[in-house]
Amino acid sequence: MAPTALMQLTLEEARVIVRYMQPQLVAKGTIFIREGDARDTGFMLLLLDGEVTVETLVVSRVEPITITVLGPGSLIGELGLLDAQPRYATCIAATPLRCAILTREALNRLMQENAPVAAKLLLALSLRIGVRLREITDKLKMYVQLTQAMEQEIASRTPH
């Protein structure tokens, strides 16, 4: 019942969805989603306890950069679950994790057996993806502004 991206669900709807999920313990240091992996996209994880470090590789850097650290209530891997595209980042258990896994097969069963709850879950996932898209767009706008300011500063210091 911790604040999560699934707050739009009632307690009864959440209980229905939980019946389709598998409990999972993940050891500290485990990489459970690897950036670029196109084979293992058929699940998402609801983090119940622990912290996950999300990293990505950036061109011209040897070491990955940390995008964020996620805590209890976070959904991880929902985009891959929905679109089956390669994973977009690497997720590492920063601490031991307690989580619940929803597979694509379980989601398909939920859609067949309880379409209203599945629709509400998919709406909640869509809202979460929308929030992340807006956050990333804001960061991109800030990056463009910083780049433009740096270019102007360099141009003003360069003799003509």
Side-chain angles (χ1 to χ4, degrees):
M1 290 306 297
T4 75
L6 302 179
M7 286 176 53
Q8 297 87 352
L9 301 173
T10 66
L11 184 56
E12 186 53 40
E13 291 164 338
R15 285 186 174 129
V16 169
I17 293 167
V18 164
R19 288 194 285 267
Y20 290 84
M21 300 179 92
Q22 304 162 0
Q24 183 83 36
L25 298 175
V26 179
K28 178 181 178 178
T30 302
I31 296 173
F32 60 91
I33 292 178
R34 189 173 302 275
E35 183 173 358
D37 185 358
R39 295 179 319 240
D40 195 16
T41 63
F43 71 93
M44 77 168 188
L45 177 145
L46 173 61
L47 186 56
L48 302 172
D49 189 42
E51 289 189 340
V52 171
T53 302
V54 181
E55 297 179 342
T56 190
L57 294 172
V58 178
V59 176
S60 79
R61 288 185 57 115
V62 176
E63 294 295 316
I65 61 167
T66 298
I67 298 172
T68 191
V69 176
L70 301 172
S74 298
L75 291 175
I76 303 168
E78 71 276 17
L79 193 55
L81 172 73
L82 296 176
D83 70 6
Q85 294 298 306
R87 297 296 190 171
Y88 212 67
T90 296
C91 298
I92 306 161
T95 65
L97 307 179
R98 280 188 326 112
C99 50
I101 305 289
L102 181 68
T103 64
R104 189 173 295 119
E105 293 78 19
L107 177 60
N108 287 334
R109 274 197 331 273
L110 175 61
M111 288 189 290
Q112 292 171 354
E113 296 168 6
N114 196 327
V117 171
K120 205 154 177 192
L121 172 62
L122 291 172
L123 178 59
L125 293 178
S126 299
L127 291 172
R128 175 65 191 130
I129 291 167
V131 166
R132 284 204 343 246
L133 179 59
R134 289 178 192 280
E135 289 170 353
I136 290 168
T137 301
D138 288 343
K139 288 177 183 177
L140 180 60
K141 287 178 181 179
M142 184 176 65
Y143 173 76
V144 168
Q145 290 172 340
L146 288 171
T147 302
Q148 287 174 341
M150 288 182 355
E151 288 172 350
Q152 291 171 356
E153 181 67 23
I154 291 168
S156 72
R157 293 177 183 217
T158 305
H160 294 99

